[in-house]
Structure formats: structure tokens, C-alpha cells
Amino acid sequence: YTQVYVKEVNNMDIFTEEQQRQLLIVKGLNRMTREQLAKEIGVSLPTMTKLINHSTPLIVQSNVYHSVSNWLNSHTVVVTQDK
């Protein structure tokens, strides 16, 4: 309840573990630096570092969330594991 309240009042969103995983996968597959990724998505380097390194879930500003989410939607990779 508290998270939803914070989200609505402060214009914040929740960056999930799955989103962080996807960001790291795409970053690695494209051999991108944090700087390159931040520039392409349109967030600052300190914000990108936080998104990549901090434990999730993270509460982030809505504009950051939407920038990352939109970028991931066009770059998401489905990873399968051979059995």
C-alpha cells in the first residue's frame, strides 16, 4: 500500500529485477558501456549506474522508468536455455 501511495503522489515507478536483468542482457550482448547505454536511453550516467548496480526493486522517477521501459520494449531479448 505504501509503495502505491508513494508512486502516485511523487510520480515514481518501480524498476523491477526482470527489467534490470533485461537491461544487463542487452548491454552485454551489444557490448555497450554504461555511458553508451545511458546516452542511448536518455538518462544520466549516475542514474544508469544505479539501475545496473543497485538491488531491485528500485523506486525511480516516472520519466526515467518510461525511458528505460520504452527502450527495453524495442530491445528485449528472449533467453532460452538448452536442456
Side-chain angles (χ1 to χ4, degrees):
Y1 177 77
T2 302
Q3 286 182 332
V4 172
Y5 179 75
V6 169
K7 183 176 173 181
E8 291 174 358
V9 170
N10 295 325
N11 206 24
M12 306 293 267
D13 279 294
I14 309 231
F15 182 71
T16 66
E17 181 180 357
E18 179 57 29
Q19 288 171 309
Q20 184 182 59
R21 185 179 300 114
Q22 286 292 332
L23 198 58
L24 289 167
I25 289 169
V26 175
K27 177 183 178 290
L29 289 174
N30 291 297
R31 292 176 167 76
M32 298 174 82
T33 64
R34 285 176 301 135
E35 292 86 352
Q36 291 169 323
L37 194 57
K39 186 175 182 180
E40 185 162 325
I41 293 176
V43 299
S44 70
L45 182 57
T47 295
M48 182 53 62
T49 300
K50 180 179 177 183
L51 292 173
I52 290 173
N53 292 339
H54 287 207
S55 59
T56 51
L58 279 174
I59 296 177
V60 298
Q61 292 179 2
S62 289
N63 62 328
V64 169
Y65 178 85
H66 290 295
S67 292
V68 173
S69 184
N70 290 339
W71 189 85
L72 281 175
N73 285 340
S74 62
H75 292 84
T76 296
V77 175
V78 176
V79 178
T80 57
Q81 187 174 3
D82 294 336
K83 295 186 179 183

